[in-house]
């Protein structure tokens, strides 16, 4: 898929039907991930795409996915599809990850090129002391990771830890400064 929304291989959609796992909020994770029978969650789509030979990409329909998503090496995520209109793709088709946790999207040890297109990602506010909130959290990954036409937002981090008490000051001496200071 490209951000120009062109069907360059003439298979009826932007992208390659034969190299995709399809996901829709109206799907079911027991489905095979085809256009006619998409998976429901991005996690199930990523797992199916990673297990395929060769590895496939995930094409996600518009709507909101209430999950924290973990990227898999080489499994690209492409949003902006409308499954109720022949899997047409447009920038106005909002595909959102609304994570129930403080991490919206994570990538750990992703060592090959992996792309995310047309997603809006939100994470929840941290509630614990010293805890962080991440729209995207990347650890140990050399990718490269490419985010195109995405909105990535985190919420508030948690309060900081209390500082330690200071030490007592020294006693004042009986001398004074000529300037009164």
């Amino acid at each position: 898929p490209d951000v120009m929304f062109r069907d360059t291989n003439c298979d009826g959609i932007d992208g390659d039907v034969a190299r995709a796992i399809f996901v829709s909020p109206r799907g079911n994770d027991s489905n095979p991930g085809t256009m006619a029978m998409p998976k429901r969650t991005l996690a199930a789509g990523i797992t199916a795409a990673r297990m395929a030979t060769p590895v496939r990409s995930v094409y996600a329909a518009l709507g909101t996915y209430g999950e924290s998503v973990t990227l898999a090496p080489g499994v690209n995520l492409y949003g902006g599809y409308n499954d109720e209109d022949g899997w047409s793709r447009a920038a106005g088709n909002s595909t959102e990850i609304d994570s129930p946790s403080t991490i919206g999207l994570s990538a750990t040890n992703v060592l090959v090129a992996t792309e995310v297109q047309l997603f809006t990602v939100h994470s929840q506010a941290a509630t614990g002391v010293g805890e962080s909130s991440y729209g995207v959290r990347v650890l140990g990954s050399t990718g490269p990771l490419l985010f195109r036409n995405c909105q990535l937002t985190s919420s508030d981090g948690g309060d900081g830890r209390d500082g330690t008490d200071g030490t007592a000051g020294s006693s004042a001496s009986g001398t004074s400064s000529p300037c009164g200071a």
Side-chain angles (χ1 to χ4, degrees):
D2 59 55
V3 292
M4 300 301 294
F5 312 112
R6 296 175 296 200
D7 178 12
T8 57
N9 65 354
C10 302
D11 67 354
I13 67 166
D14 176 21
D16 187 344
V17 171
R19 298 198 64 190
I21 298 293
F22 293 86
V23 177
S24 167
R26 292 157 290 284
N28 186 310
D29 282 345
S30 64
N31 287 346
T34 62
M35 289 173 74
M37 297 180 71
K39 300 233 177 245
R40 178 166 176 30
T41 63
L42 294 168
I46 290 168
T47 298
R50 183 175 46 84
M51 302 294 273
T53 304
V55 170
R56 295 184 180 191
S57 294
V58 173
Y59 293 5
L62 61 101
T64 301
Y65 298 87
E67 57 187 297
S68 181
V69 175
T70 300
L71 293 177
V75 176
N76 302 311
L77 296 181
Y78 298 106
Y81 287 94
N82 184 341
D83 59 322
E84 296 180 312
D85 186 25
W87 289 90
S88 61
R89 191 167 189 239
N93 293 342
S94 180
T95 306
E96 298 183 26
I97 296 171
D98 189 14
S99 174
S101 78
T102 57
I103 301 174
L105 189 68
S106 64
T108 301
N109 298 322
V110 175
L111 305 177
V112 298
T114 305
E115 182 173 4
V116 179
Q117 271 186 25
L118 287 173
F119 273 87
T120 298
V121 180
H122 302 92
S123 63
Q124 297 302 307
T127 56
V129 172
E131 196 174 84
S132 298
S133 175
Y134 304 89
V136 175
R137 185 174 186 203
V138 178
L139 297 170
S141 298
T142 57
L145 294 173
L146 180 61
F147 294 88
R148 266 186 232 233
N149 293 25
C150 292
Q151 286 187 338
L152 311 169
T153 57
S154 61
S155 295
D156 293 337
D159 291 338
R161 299 189 194 291
D162 289 340
T164 57
D165 290 337
T167 58
S170 59
S171 302
S173 66
T175 62
S176 63
S177 166
C179 298

